[in-house]
Each structure stands twice: as C-alpha cells, then as structure tokens.
Amino acid sequence: MSDTDVSVQVATQAAEVSYQRRSPWASMLRRFRKNKRALVGFWMVVVFVGIAVFAQAIAPYDPIEQNMDVILQPPSADHLFGTDEYGRDILSRIIYGSQISLMIGIVGVLISVVIGVGLGTVSGYFGGRTDMFIMRIMDIFMAFPSFLLALAIVSVLGPGMVNVMIAIGIFSVPTFARISRSAVISVKNKEFIEAAKSMGASHARVIFKHVLPNSVAPIIVLSTMRIATAILTASGLSFLGMGAQPPTPEWGAMLSTGREYLRTAPHVSTIPGLAIMFMVLAFNMLGDGLRDALDPKMKL
Amino acid sequence: MKQKRFGKWAAPLVLAVSLLVSACGTSETSSVGAEVEAKDLVVGLTGDPVSLDPHNATDTISSLINYQILDTLVAFNDKMEIVPRLAESWTVSEDGKTWTFKLRQGVTFQDGTPFNAEAVKTNFERLADKSKKLSRRVLIGQFIDKITTNGDYEVVFQLNTPQGPFLNNLAVTASGILSPKSIKENEQGIAKNPVGTGPFTFKEWTPGNQVVLEANQQYWGGKPGVKSVTFKPVPENAARVIMLETGEADVIEKVPASEFERLKSNDEVQVISRPTNRVLYIGINTTVAPFDQVKVRQALNYAIDRETLVNKLYEGRVKLATASVAAQTFGYSDVGAYAYDVEKAKQLLQEAGVKEGTKLRLILAANVIQDRPAAEFVQNSLQKVGFDAELKILELGSYLETLKDPSTYELFVRGAAASTGDADSVLSDGLLSTSATNYSHYANPKVDEWIKAGSAQTKPEERQKSYAEALKLIKEEAPWISLHEDVGYVGIRKNVEGVEVQPTYIWDLRKVVKK
C-alpha cells in the first residue's frame, strides 16, 4: 500500500474506525481494494454492465437490421468491428449481446442460488434423513458433466433463451447446495444459535435471522464465479444452436455462424469470441478477488 | 509474402526433389509403371449414406454412392435426356401401358450372375411388392401390373395406368438393378452390401468413417480409370475444403460459398458449378388463419426482395426461381416470380384484416446450412411488413416431426428437388392434396387435376401443357414462396478428370481418371 494514495488512506481510516465495531465487511473491503487484479475485474464488470444498460444509446446501428450492400466488410470507420454475412453491424450486435449474456448469467445464477441455497440450508440445518435424501439427489446431478446436463435439459425443453436460463439454473444447483450446506453446518453449532434456540426462536427465525446471514460469504463468491460459467455455458449452447435463435445477437451464436467465414472474414467470429473471453475473465477475476477478500483460507 | 511462401515450401520441395531423383535412379521401371497404374480416389461428402438398398433409400448421398455400384435400364445424359444403359432400345404401345425393353447382352453382375430379362423381372417384382414396404415403390412399383420376359433379353412391363414420367423414373438410382442372387439369398443384407452391374464393386462400409468401392475390372462399359473410390463423411464445411486443398480428398461435395474466392487462387483445385433442379421455397401452412387467405399468401410473396436475395445475399451464385419447379426440369414453364412490392404487400394484408405484429413461426432444418441465409432474409423481410416472425432452427428429426403437426408451424423452409428430372416428382410430392408430404396442406381440385393429367399423359407436348396450367394456378394461389434454384458446387483437384455432375446432385464417376 502506498501512503500517497488518498483513497487507500481513506479506506484505511474507515477500516480503523469500523475496526472498533469489528465489522467483517469493512476489513473485506480493505483487502479487496489492495487486490489489483480484483479491481480490474470489478471495473471490467462495471463497464460491461454500463454497456448493457445504455446499449440503445451507444450502439451505432440497429443490431438486427440487414443491409445487403455491405456484407462481410472488414472493420472500418463506418463499422468499427466490421459487418457480418447479412451486413449487420457487429459492434452494435456485440453491444446488444452483452445484455443477453449478462441476463442469462445473472438470471441463471439467481435461479440456482434460490433453489441451491434453499436445499443446502435445509439439508445442513436439519441433518439426518433430510440431509441424506437431498444430498444424494445432488450427488446424482453432480455425476453428470455439467455442460452435458445443460445440453440434455435444453434438448428436452427445446431451444430458446428462457430454456437456456432454466438449464443453467438447474445445472448449478448442486454446487450451491453443497457450499451452503457446509457453511450452515459450520455455523449451526455456534453458541449464538443455541442461545437463539433456547429463547424459543422458531426454525424459520433461526435460519433466516442467524444462520443464513452468517453463511452468505461463500455464496457471494460462488455466485460471481458461477456467472462466468453460466455465460460460457450459454454461449456454448447457442454455438450448438440450442440457445438464442436468430436474429438474436447472442455472442455464442454469432461465433458459430461466423465460423463459416473464418478464413475469408475472420472478424465475424473472432470478435464475439473475444467478447465472451473478456466477460468471463472479468467475472472470474472479480470472483477470485472476492474470495481472497472474504476469507483467504476459503477454497472454492 | 513471397519469401514467406518460399520458406514454407522449401523443405518439402527439397525433400520431394531428392526423393524423385533417388526413385528415378534406383528403379526406372517401377516409376514408369506407376504412371499407368490406376489410383485411388477419395471423395469428401457431407454425411454418411442412410441405406445402400437403392429401392428403399431416399437420401441423396445413398443414391450418389449407389449410382456408381448399380446400372439402370436407361440413364440421363448431362442434358437430362434419356439414353440407353442396360436397355439398348425400347418401344411403347399406343395406349402407353405396355413398355418393351431390349436388353444389353453379355453383362454380368459383380457376383458372377448373368444379367438377363429374368434379373430385371426379379428386381421390379420386388419393387412392386406392397408387403415389402419399400419407400421407392411410388416411382415405378405402384404402377406395375405385370412383368413378362420374352426370351433372355427382352422384358415387357405391363402398367396399370399410362405413365408420362415412366422413363425418367426408370433412370434414377432408386430403379437400379440389383443382382437377383442377392435379392433371393440375402434381401436384408442389401442395405449393407449392394451388388449390381456398375463400374464399382462395393467393398466395405464403416459407418461414420468411410464407404469403399473397388473398380469392377469386368465392367461392360470399360474398365474404370481409378482403382478404388472411398467416400468419407465430413460434415464440417471448412474441414472438407481443407481436405481438398491438402489433397487428402480429390473431390468434395458442397463447397461453401465463402471459400470460392480463396479457392480460385489455388492452382491445384477447381470448383465446378452446376445448376440443379432444386427450388428452395418457403411453404405456407394453408390450414391456419390468416394464411388460409390467398391475399395474405400473395402479400408474403410480394414482401420478399428476391433480386437482392439472389444477387447480394447469395452473390449471384443461385438463380431466381420463376416457377415452383426449376428451369432444368421437364414440365417447367416460366410463370414469373412475384415482384418486390412492400406497399402492395401491406395493402393486401390490410384488406385481409391482418394486424400488425401477427405472430408466425418459420421452421428450418439445421442440416441444410446453405438455406439458412435465405431463411434469415425471409424472416427479416416479413418483419418489415409487420409480422412478428420467429425463426426456429431444428434438428432434422424434430423438423420432420414438427411438419407432421400443422398446428406447430406457419411457414417452413424446404427444397423441392426433381430427382427424376420431371415436374411430376415435385408437384405430386409437395402440392397434390393427397400427398403425405404436402406440408402446405394445399388442396385445390383443379391443381390436382392438372398434376394427375400431367403424369397420366404420354405425349410430351400435352404433359407440358398440363404442367403449365398447374404452375400458373399455383403461382396465383401462392401456397409457396418460391425463392431460388440451387446451384451445386463441387470441388475437384485439377489432376482428376471426368467427374460428371448432374442437375440432380448425382455424379457419374464412370469416366473419372486421376493422374
């Protein structure tokens, strides 16, 4: 840490103030800010979210408007990333595509957080046969390679964006269930839980007031990392034609159709590929940083 | 650039030259012998055959392979005219029901069985047998009343109804003549081991890997110019092109459009183009509102800018379709394509009471990659006239499954290929009200009448007239949006000569030579 860095000093001061209140969040924030890689990841995610939110204002063209006069043009001043086989502006498609990728990533992970954490908490808190039953089902899910599982789910439900989100939601459930179960188990025998129970608190109250808030850290970290996996999986499914249907500017689908022109117009497939790479990288770096900041000993 | 190229080629060149020198030095005789010796030909196809039983297979790849193993009684030349093959001459009775064929003498099957009238009879009795459920029975089999032989080299077909396209239907691989011995002894085995009289003998088929044929040295039409032909399934376009460039394959099917320019600059390969008789069309499901109205269907036709589709999207590599059948098909007449007129389309839709944002589903089979741009173009065009058009790209299996249920689609993309070179094969397949594959569910008694008349008449002029009437009515009623005629692109290495590409996507390898 450099002494001249004002923001860091402020952070340190803030941390010192809160140290008296022993807030774990403040110390986490301090550790996070020290981690350059995490910050880069964080700002990249911020930029992607910004692009997605303001897509309409930023995009120079309509992403699905075909213009047969300018097909397969290389990058130029008019079309910064060139055009595809229908004369559509690739930059605009990338910009709108970020909305789709982020949405799939976030909604998919939200689905698995709600189901996975729910199952994991119940399992860990009650233990015994409930635990046995839920965790064996999760084990069965875990036995399948995750991408194959997602592919199988989409094949059953039929291609389409909503079905991809559901598939991604389901395929991450077992991971969330396991992590939250172990977090709950480590918390549930602490004295303050016992105290709450002895004061007559209901199971629901104990879970929501005491157990969950104390096991949330690993779930935040896992969610961030899983968003990256979700985006990658969704692109993979769209690449195979099981995800977004044309003319949706989904990156994986763009990569797949551009493959045909790989040797004559390589920009058509490489640019969406780079976009996927940077977004996945951003979430992974952010997730790594959060993990280091929240609990350096935690292994995920 | 030049330097780089030289660097890349220098090492193999030196090696090749030194090998050549050493080869010449040691054994001159063997190198001369190698010049004369026939070589192995490798063909890259888009997939595996489905079944090698010609009387039951319906896919192009199976037909393409079988065409080299089997002979037919008559055949197409490169202008799609009928020429003799196993039959030397034929006559037809006045009523068009009795056909007499004089057969070629001295031909033997690859298993040694002699070819004669009895063999022809066995084959077509198999095709006519309803209980065998052969899918190509519709071509010839269903019209056969009786087959008689007159001596060893004359066979008489007695039909139950006059058939205009009879000779065309005899000329396709589906009417290929199998060894009667193989039919009698191992009928189930034909699909995996066809035996015919053709220039190549079936050797082995490893599904997913290759089909190998060997030259039939006893072929009556002369010894083939290559020692063997290996067909390899290579579904990935880029991989197939690379195989052609590196010499791993000598001939490849379906060169993707995006590779033309680059291949042009390659001295070792050439791409030959052949207009085919496949018309790409968007079928309209006429059973669901609002597409049961003629006005709406015409509006869809006016909404498509075919000129742009042909000249810009496909860069002029396909031909504008001017009827429901292609120009290379018997029975074709130019009824003209719909002009591009968005205003008129919108007006017609308004008159028909179609609301802005009406949903429609357009389905496309994922395996016909060359049709995908057209499908996306049509989707875009229909959106411009106010439809909420959804394009669903389905695996072939689920595409065919979807077509069986008319409530699950409004539009579908399909190619109408006249495999027999005759309008009958397209019209009775896709537009006759009783056909199981009439996925538009278009039913017009007048059109039915003209189509049936066209197939029952035997005078070419009369048939031509009937089809012209049918095509005119079909254009007017617009159950299809005909888009363009496909052009087939075959990639061939320059040292290979004599690959004859027909408009039906079939190639004849009888005269192929590899230098």
Side-chain angles (χ1 to χ4, degrees), chain A residues 64-66 68-69 71-72 85-86 88 159 240-242 245-247 253 256-257 259-261 263-264, chain B residues 236-238 241-242 245 256 258-259 262 308 312-313 315 369 372-373 376-377 379-380 384 391-393:
Chain A
I64 58 168
E65 175 68 32
Q66 300 184 350
M68 294 298 154
D69 291 324
I71 57 171
L72 292 174
E85 69 271 33
Y86 302 98
R88 298 179 296 209
L240 296 176
M242 306 298 283
Q245 295 294 301
S256 172
T257 49
R259 189 172 44 135
E260 177 121 322
Y261 310 96
R263 295 205 290 176
T264 46
Chain B
E236 189 75 23
N237 283 335
V241 172
I242 292 169
E245 284 178 286
S258 53
E259 302 278 2
R262 229 172 33 76
T308 301
K312 290 186 175 158
L313 181 61
E315 297 177 319
I369 36 161
R372 188 180 157 144
E376 287 204 39
F377 183 82
Q379 178 193 26
N380 197 264
K384 279 187 188 151
L391 173 61
K392 290 169 110 179
I393 300 177

Side-chain angles (χ1 to χ4, degrees), chain B residues 267-372:
Chain B
D267 299 335
E268 290 176 343
V269 302
Q270 57 172 333
V271 179
I272 51 174
S273 63
R274 183 79 165 96
T276 70
N277 53 22
R278 175 182 189 264
V279 172
L280 182 72
Y281 68 91
I282 311 289
I284 304 171
N285 181 354
T286 57
T287 60
V288 290
F291 305 102
D292 49 349
Q293 301 180 56
V294 175
K295 268 185 187 167
V296 178
R297 302 201 296 259
Q298 287 175 339
L300 296 186
N301 267 288
Y302 281 118
I304 314 290
D305 184 358
R306 293 172 177 79
E307 294 284 339
T308 301
L309 174 89
V310 168
N311 294 323
K312 290 186 175 158
L313 181 61
Y314 282 97
E315 297 177 319
R317 286 182 300 255
V318 294
K319 278 173 63 198
L320 184 73
T322 47
S324 314
V325 296
Q328 299 241 337
T329 313
F330 176 84
Y332 161 84
S333 59
D334 184 351
V335 292
Y338 276 85
Y340 176 50
D341 193 339
V342 173
E343 288 316 309
K344 187 148 190 187
K346 282 186 177 161
Q347 188 200 329
L348 283 168
L349 288 175
Q350 208 172 14
E351 283 170 24
V354 177
K355 286 196 204 83
E356 185 101 353
T358 301
K359 282 197 175 183
L360 63 81
R361 291 161 294 182
L362 168 64
I363 59 167
L364 167 75
N367 64 327
V368 282
I369 36 161
Q370 79 269 27
D371 297 342
R372 188 180 157 144

Side-chain angles (χ1 to χ4, degrees), chain A:
Chain A
M1 191 193 359
S2 101
D3 284 346
T4 49
D5 192 334
V6 179
S7 70
V8 173
Q9 270 184 344
V10 172
T12 320
Q13 278 163 5
E16 271 165 9
V17 172
S18 61
Y19 184 68
Q20 284 147 5
R21 288 164 51 212
R22 302 191 168 204
S23 163
W25 295 108
S27 63
M28 173 240 148
L29 198 66
R30 199 186 53 191
R31 277 200 296 269
F32 188 78
R33 286 198 174 174
K34 277 202 290 189
N35 188 341
K36 282 216 184 79
R37 212 176 48 175
L39 279 177
V40 170
F42 173 74
W43 285 114
M44 278 167 77
V45 170
V46 169
V47 168
F48 273 120
V49 171
I51 289 175
V53 171
F54 300 107
Q56 219 152 1
I58 307 170
Y61 295 87
D62 181 340
I64 58 168
E65 175 68 32
Q66 300 184 350
N67 182 356
M68 294 298 154
D69 291 324
V70 289
I71 57 171
L72 292 174
Q73 290 200 340
S76 66
D78 277 346
H79 298 278
L80 223 49
F81 286 173
T83 58
D84 68 3
E85 69 271 33
Y86 302 98
R88 298 179 296 209
D89 182 52
I90 292 179
L91 174 63
S92 306
R93 287 177 72 73
I94 293 286
I95 289 172
Y96 275 92
S98 65
Q99 285 182 338
I100 293 160
S101 289
L102 281 176
M103 191 165 76
I104 292 183
I106 291 167
V107 175
V109 168
L110 270 183
I111 294 174
S112 36
V113 166
V114 170
I115 304 176
V117 172
L119 290 174
T121 309
V122 168
S123 187
Y125 183 79
F126 292 104
R129 282 196 179 174
T130 325
D131 182 26
M132 182 72 177
F133 180 70
I134 293 176
M135 289 327 284
R136 288 306 76 76
I137 291 178
M138 293 299 116
D139 285 347
I140 293 172
F141 271 94
M142 285 216 140
F144 292 101
S146 49
F147 188 80
L148 273 190
L149 185 65
L151 197 62
I153 295 169
V154 178
S155 313
V156 172
L157 298 174
M161 300 292 287
V162 177
N163 294 343
V164 166
M165 288 185 214
I166 295 173
I168 285 172
I170 293 175
F171 101 118
S172 285
V173 163
T175 331
F176 278 98
R178 277 203 164 181
I179 295 292
S180 58
R181 173 178 173 270
S182 68
V184 167
I185 287 176
S186 70
V187 176
K188 81 167 178 187
N189 292 326
K190 295 262 166 75
E191 292 86 346
F192 65 93
I193 301 286
E194 212 135 294
K197 275 188 185 163
S198 62
M199 282 167 76
S202 66
H203 284 316
R205 188 180 165 85
V206 173
I207 289 176
F208 285 109
K209 264 283 191 208
H210 302 290
V211 175
L212 271 183
N214 284 294
S215 55
V216 81
I219 291 162
I220 290 176
V221 175
L222 183 66
S223 303
T224 323
M225 309 265 253
R226 280 319 263 200
I227 288 178
T229 321
I231 291 170
L232 206 58
T233 311
S235 302
L237 288 171
S238 293
F239 183 88
L240 296 176
M242 306 298 283
Q245 295 294 301
T248 318
E250 207 281 334
W251 294 347
M254 288 166 73
L255 182 67
S256 172
T257 49
R259 189 172 44 135
E260 177 121 322
Y261 310 96
L262 196 57
R263 295 205 290 176
T264 46
H267 66 278
V268 181
S269 56
T270 43
I271 289 171
L274 287 173
I276 296 170
M277 190 193 90
F278 281 117
M279 192 181 262
V280 170
L281 187 68
F283 276 102
N284 273 334
M285 292 202 301
L286 178 64
D288 271 347
L290 282 175
R291 182 192 60 198
D292 294 347
L294 281 169
D295 184 358
K297 284 173 293 186
M298 193 162 78
K299 289 275 183 285
L300 273 177

Side-chain angles (χ1 to χ4, degrees), chain B residues 163-176:
Chain B
Q163 267 300 299
F166 184 66
L167 285 177
N168 286 60
N169 290 353
L170 272 184
V172 295
T173 321
S175 304

Side-chain angles (χ1 to χ4, degrees), chain B residues 434-447:
Chain B
T434 51
S435 163
T437 46
N438 176 354
Y439 298 119
S440 298
H441 298 278
Y442 175 63
N444 181 333
K446 269 193 195 153
V447 171

